[in-house]
């Protein structure tokens, strides 16, 4: 292995001796790549660890003591091909062997913004990269060919414009952490310690859900010490977080929906793609951004974590707008998300708006919404799916003639009679209510139909429920001069008032008189009257109560 590495060093040396442009362009490219991945250093280190952990225990150890950052993993040792991917940007073996969208093998260079030196240790070799050694390498080239100095100065204002990762230094003593197959060890700028600690401690490891090979991550960072475990069984994944210092353990359970396939790239070559929707049935975990293995900055607010192997820009945080691959993937993602929503509606025990929330959101990135039209695709594909929850705990579609009100009729109405009545969306879910009422054009029952359904089953409702229905009807239908009205009032004898009799509040004892039997007058049940005063917020003025309920024949 050392002989092969030395051979590559000599090839680079000869290339640099022949061309000042090669030296400077390699340096400029490395500077650009390291800046592009700024803020994602730990993500990139974990991605590299996952790539090498296939078929192993999938264990990673991360340590940081304020100066030295070490990331070690089990699995396949860092290979000679891996070394060449560091020496030659854009020549990563992942591009051929992984055949995965977005795997470019360039993110490793992001750690150069943190480190004064980077050591790569494997079972067969240990090499080190540093700015200091790169300068020595360039100086040796200039001694051999002094005229290069002026050529380099004409191309760059920097004193030593040479790429750090093209100049490996072979170490005789192994730096491999015991029990692991590869270790990446970085001596870091001390003034960046707080930045590194913050990035390490911000890792939530929801990403473990999407990383195919990692199963355990241990972090020892100053006073921070946690273990993260992933247990997979079929489509179920459990992420367990153990705070070693406090002994506290947290668990999150996810149900995974996965889809794979092939699309065509710009050169008409086949490219594998993968979607994963990780749904937490407890509702405790919500997705805020799109994942491409790790978090991006692409806003996507759904009650699930959504991963796709999209083409990302060089910063790995945003989608490539003009990518042919992305243009094919977004409609496929829309179809897949709708399929997941339907599957959730069929599987979950609680009937609610969770499946619809997996399709309709008020939080979506501008590019997703306006360039790729994901929001429009989802809304259109959702129209005829059976994902609308009824008060009878069944899911129906827009074709089943659903009814909806933003008032809480769903808590009172008989679900057997009002079988297509949808549940009321939560107060904070205005985007769901707007979708149902404005886009699906779903309204409440018209007055005549509602009254007929209520009046046919009025005995099903208690006095408390009747008072609540009177309150809801008053604000749903407003003042009506119609011959149709709900027969919800109860008379002083506890009987339903089912005819068109005039109803009056029960008079005080001194006002009571005997009325002839032929007089068509009924008196309101005093218990119901008291409840109505309270529910309608009327200050004990019977005239005001009569005015409020004139539609119900109260005089």
């Amino acid at each position: 292995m050392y002989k092969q590495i030395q051979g590559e060093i000599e090839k680079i040396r000869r290339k640099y001796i022949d061309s000042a442009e090669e030296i400077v362009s390699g340096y400029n490219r490395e500077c650009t790549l390291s800046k592009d991945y700024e803020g994602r250093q730990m993500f990139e280190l974990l991605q590299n660890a996952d790539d090498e952990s296939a078929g192993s225990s999938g264990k990673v150890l991360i340590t940081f003591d304020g100066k030295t950052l070490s990331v070690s993993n089990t699995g396949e040792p860092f290979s000679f091909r891996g070394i060449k991917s560091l020496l030659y940007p854009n020549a990563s073996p992942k591009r051929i062997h992984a055949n995965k969208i977005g795997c470019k093998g360039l993110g490793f260079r992001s750690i150069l913004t943190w480190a004064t030196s980077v050591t790569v240790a494997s079972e067969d070799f240990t090499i080190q990269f540093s700015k200091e050694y790169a300068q020595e390498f360039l100086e040796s080239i200039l001694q051999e060919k002094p005229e290069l100095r002026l050529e380099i100065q004409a191309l760059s204002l920097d004193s030593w414009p040479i790429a750090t990762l093209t100049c490996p230094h072979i170490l005789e003593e192994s730096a491999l952490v015991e029990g692991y197959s590869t270790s990446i060890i970085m001596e870091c700028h001390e003034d960046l310690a707080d930045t590194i600690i913050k990035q390490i401690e911000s890792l939530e490891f929801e990403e473990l859900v999407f990383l195919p090979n990692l199963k355990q991550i241990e972090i020892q960072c100053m006073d921070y010490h946690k273990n993260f475990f992933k247990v997979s069984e079929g489509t179920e994944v459990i992420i367990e977080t153990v705070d070693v210092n406090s002994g506290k353990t947290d668990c999150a359970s996810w149900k995974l929906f996965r889809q794979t396939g092939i699309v065509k790239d710009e050169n008409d070559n086949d490219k594998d793609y993968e979607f994963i929707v990780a749904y937490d049935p407890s509702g405790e975990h919500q997705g805020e951004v799109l994942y491409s293995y790790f978090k991006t900055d692409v806003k996507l607010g759904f009650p699930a974590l959504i991963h796709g192997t999209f083409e990302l820009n060089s910063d790995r945080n945003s989608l490539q707008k003009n990518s042919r691959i992305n243009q094919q993937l977004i409609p496929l993602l829309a179809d897949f998300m709708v399929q997941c929503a339907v599957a959730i509606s069929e599987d979950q025990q609680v009937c609610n708006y969770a499946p619809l929330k997996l399709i309709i959101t008020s939080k979506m990135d501008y590019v997703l919404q306006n360039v790729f039209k994901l929001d429009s695709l989802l809304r259109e594909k959702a129209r005829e799916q059976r994902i609308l929850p009824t008060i009878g705990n069944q899911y129906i579609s827009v074709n089943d003639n659903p009814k909806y009100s933003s008032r809480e009729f769903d808590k009172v109405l008989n679900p057997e009679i009002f079988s297509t009545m949808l549940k009321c969306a939560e107060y904070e879910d205005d985007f769901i209510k707007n979708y149902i009422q404005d886009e699906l054009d779903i309204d409440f029952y018209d007055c005549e139909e509602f009254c007929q359904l209520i009046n046919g089953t009025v005995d099903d409702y208690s006095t408390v429920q009747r008072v609540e229905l009177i309150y809801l009807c008053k604000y749903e239908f407003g003042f009506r001069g119609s011959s149709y009205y709900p027969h919800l009032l109860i008379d002083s004898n506890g009987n339903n008032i089912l005819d068109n009799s005039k109803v009056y509040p029960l008079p005080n004892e001194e006002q009571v008189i005997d009325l002839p039997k032929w007089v068509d007058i009924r008196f309101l049940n005093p218990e119901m009257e008291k409840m109505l005063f309270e529910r309608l917020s009327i200050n004990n003025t019977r005239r005001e109560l009569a005015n409020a309920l004139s539609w119900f024949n109260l005089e």
Side-chain angles (χ1 to χ4, degrees):
M1 179 71 77
Y2 282 116
K3 186 175 181 180
Q4 289 177 295
I5 297 171
Q6 192 61 52
E8 291 303 319
I9 294 173
E10 288 304 315
K11 284 171 58 177
I12 292 171
R13 182 183 181 85
R14 290 195 299 272
K15 180 177 69 172
Y16 281 0
I17 286 175
D18 289 339
S19 173
E21 287 78 8
E22 284 285 352
I23 298 173
V24 175
S25 64
Y27 170 72
N28 290 339
R29 186 163 55 248
E30 183 175 86
C31 290
T32 299
L33 290 173
S34 62
K35 291 176 182 177
D36 282 344
Y37 287 76
E38 179 60 37
R40 298 182 61 86
Q41 286 90 338
M42 291 307 307
F43 287 164
E44 298 304 325
L45 288 167
L46 284 172
Q47 178 67 70
N48 287 333
D50 183 80
D51 290 336
E52 304 301 331
S53 294
S56 76
S57 61
K59 185 177 180 181
V60 171
L61 172 65
I62 300 171
T63 64
F64 182 59
D65 61 8
K67 181 171 175 59
T68 303
L69 173 64
S70 173
V71 178
S72 302
N73 63 271
T74 59
E76 187 174 340
F78 206 91
S79 65
F80 178 62
R81 283 196 310 233
I83 294 174
K84 292 180 71 173
S85 75
L86 301 182
L87 302 180
Y88 306 106
N90 291 304
S92 168
K94 296 179 196 176
R95 300 189 71 169
I96 297 175
H97 296 279
N99 195 28
K100 295 288 187 181
I101 300 168
C103 295
K104 304 298 186 190
L106 302 175
F108 189 88
R109 285 163 172 76
S110 64
I111 63 177
L112 294 176
T113 59
W114 281 358
T116 58
S117 70
V118 179
T119 302
V120 179
S122 185
E123 295 173 354
D124 297 329
F125 66 88
T126 297
I127 58 175
Q128 188 176 83
F129 303 90
S130 69
K131 191 68 175 175
E132 180 182 4
Y133 186 74
Q135 292 175 6
E136 293 177 4
F137 187 74
L138 179 56
E139 182 61 36
S140 69
I141 291 173
L142 295 177
Q143 288 177 359
E144 183 174 341
K145 190 176 181 181
E147 59 269 29
L148 278 176
R149 190 179 301 274
L150 289 177
E151 294 180 39
I152 291 172
Q153 289 175 350
L155 295 170
S156 176
L157 296 176
D158 292 331
S159 301
W160 300 98
I162 184 169
T164 300
L165 293 185
T166 60
C167 307
H169 179 55
I170 298 174
L171 300 182
E172 294 184 2
E173 185 175 349
S174 176
L176 182 64
V177 175
E178 185 177 355
Y180 296 87
S181 59
T182 301
S183 295
I184 310 296
I185 303 162
M186 293 142 279
E187 297 301 319
C188 300
H189 298 284
E190 293 187 23
D191 59 341
L192 293 177
D194 289 344
T195 299
I196 296 170
I197 291 171
K198 182 178 179 181
Q199 195 174 127
I200 291 173
E201 294 184 357
S202 68
L203 292 171
E204 298 174 358
F205 288 98
E206 292 172 343
E207 292 86 356
L208 267 175
V209 173
F210 302 128
L211 294 176
N213 302 314
L214 293 187
K215 301 177 182 68
Q216 178 181 350
I217 299 175
E218 181 178 4
I219 300 178
Q220 301 174 21
C221 177
M222 311 297 279
D223 296 330
Y224 179 95
H225 190 182
K226 286 188 176 181
N227 281 316
F228 301 86
F229 302 92
K230 178 173 73 174
V231 179
S232 302
E233 184 174 347
T235 61
E236 305 293 329
V237 172
I238 297 174
I239 305 296
E240 182 181 74
T241 303
V242 179
D243 188 320
V244 177
N245 294 327
S246 68
K248 181 181 178 182
T249 299
D250 293 317
C251 286
S253 179
W254 306 87
K255 181 175 178 62
L256 300 190
F257 300 88
R258 188 189 307 269
Q259 177 175 297
T260 59
I262 296 174
V263 293
K264 296 289 187 181
D265 67 9
E266 282 76 7
N267 298 315
D268 218 31
N269 296 319
D270 288 345
K271 282 290 185 179
D272 295 338
Y273 77 84
E274 176 186 63
F275 296 136
I276 299 177
V277 171
Y279 176 69
D280 175 11
S282 73
E284 293 182 11
H285 298 86
Q286 303 286 316
E288 299 293 336
V289 296
L290 180 68
Y291 286 72
S292 190
Y293 296 107
F294 297 102
K295 290 180 179 178
T296 69
D297 286 342
V298 180
K299 184 170 68 172
L300 194 63
F302 287 107
L305 307 181
I306 298 174
H307 152 75
T309 46
F310 294 97
E311 286 279 272
L312 302 177
N313 289 319
S314 58
D315 61 2
R316 305 296 295 166
N317 273 320
S318 54
L319 292 171
Q320 292 183 15
K321 296 180 184 179
N322 298 319
S323 163
R324 181 187 178 188
I325 289 172
N326 288 346
Q327 290 167 359
Q328 296 170 78
L329 287 183
I330 296 300
L332 292 172
L333 177 62
D335 285 332
F336 180 57
M337 289 174 66
V338 171
Q339 293 170 21
C340 293
V342 173
I344 290 170
S345 72
E346 293 172 347
D347 291 345
Q348 69 175 11
Q349 296 180 350
V350 178
C351 182
N352 55 27
Y353 281 103
L356 186 59
K357 288 181 182 178
L358 191 57
I359 302 175
I360 307 302
T361 181
S362 60
K363 302 174 182 178
M364 184 175 291
D365 179 77
Y366 177 87
V367 172
L368 279 177
Q369 185 169 8
N370 295 287
V371 176
F372 293 113
K373 309 296 184 184
L374 176 60
D375 189 49
S376 299
L377 286 170
L378 286 169
R379 289 169 182 265
E380 183 59 33
K381 293 176 184 297
R383 285 190 64 87
E384 297 188 1
Q385 302 300 324
R386 299 179 69 86
I387 53 176
L388 301 175
T390 68
I391 62 176
N393 292 319
Q394 300 292 324
Y395 286 100
I396 63 175
S397 78
V398 70
N399 296 326
D400 297 311
N401 193 27
K403 303 297 181 182
Y404 181 82
S405 173
S406 57
R407 297 177 179 86
E408 295 182 333
F409 282 96
D410 59 320
K411 292 181 170 57
V412 189
L413 294 176
N414 184 336
E416 293 183 4
I417 303 303
F418 294 87
S419 59
T420 62
M421 179 68 192
L422 301 182
K423 293 186 175 182
C424 186
E426 296 293 333
Y427 176 76
E428 64 271 17
D429 294 337
D430 275 351
F431 65 99
I432 293 291
K433 180 187 71 174
N434 292 338
Y435 174 73
I436 291 172
Q437 294 182 315
D438 298 339
E439 293 192 40
L440 298 184
D441 199 25
I442 298 174
D443 296 321
F444 194 56
Y445 299 88
D446 64 48
C447 182
E448 180 178 347
E449 181 184 9
F450 179 80
C451 291
Q452 288 175 345
L453 291 171
I454 282 286
N455 294 343
T457 56
V458 71
D459 287 334
D460 295 341
Y461 300 96
S462 66
T463 302
V464 173
Q465 290 173 321
R466 292 178 188 224
V467 169
E468 185 62 23
L469 281 171
I470 289 170
Y471 169 81
L472 294 170
C473 287
K474 172 177 170 55
Y475 291 100
E476 181 70 33
F477 297 113
F479 175 78
R480 298 276 176 169
S482 169
S483 58
Y484 294 99
Y485 65 92
H487 295 159
L488 294 168
L489 296 181
I490 303 172
D491 70 14
S492 55
N493 295 318
N495 298 318
N496 296 324
I497 303 176
L498 302 179
D499 54 22
N500 293 325
S501 300
K502 294 297 183 182
V503 184
Y504 291 86
L506 186 67
N508 299 326
E509 289 186 10
E510 60 272 16
Q511 296 176 317
V512 173
I513 59 173
D514 290 329
L515 296 174
K517 293 182 179 181
W518 51 266
V519 176
D520 190 16
I521 288 179
R522 310 278 286 276
F523 292 109
L524 182 63
N525 181 280
E527 181 185 2
M528 174 176 271
E529 180 181 336
K530 181 179 178 181
M531 291 181 184
L532 287 168
F533 272 120
E534 183 177 344
R535 188 66 183 96
L536 299 175
S537 301
I538 294 174
N539 297 323
N540 204 31
T541 303
R542 287 181 162 180
R543 175 48 53 192
E544 187 179 350
L545 179 64
N547 289 336
L549 301 180
S550 60
W551 181 36
F552 298 87
N553 267 8
L554 185 65
E555 295 288 337

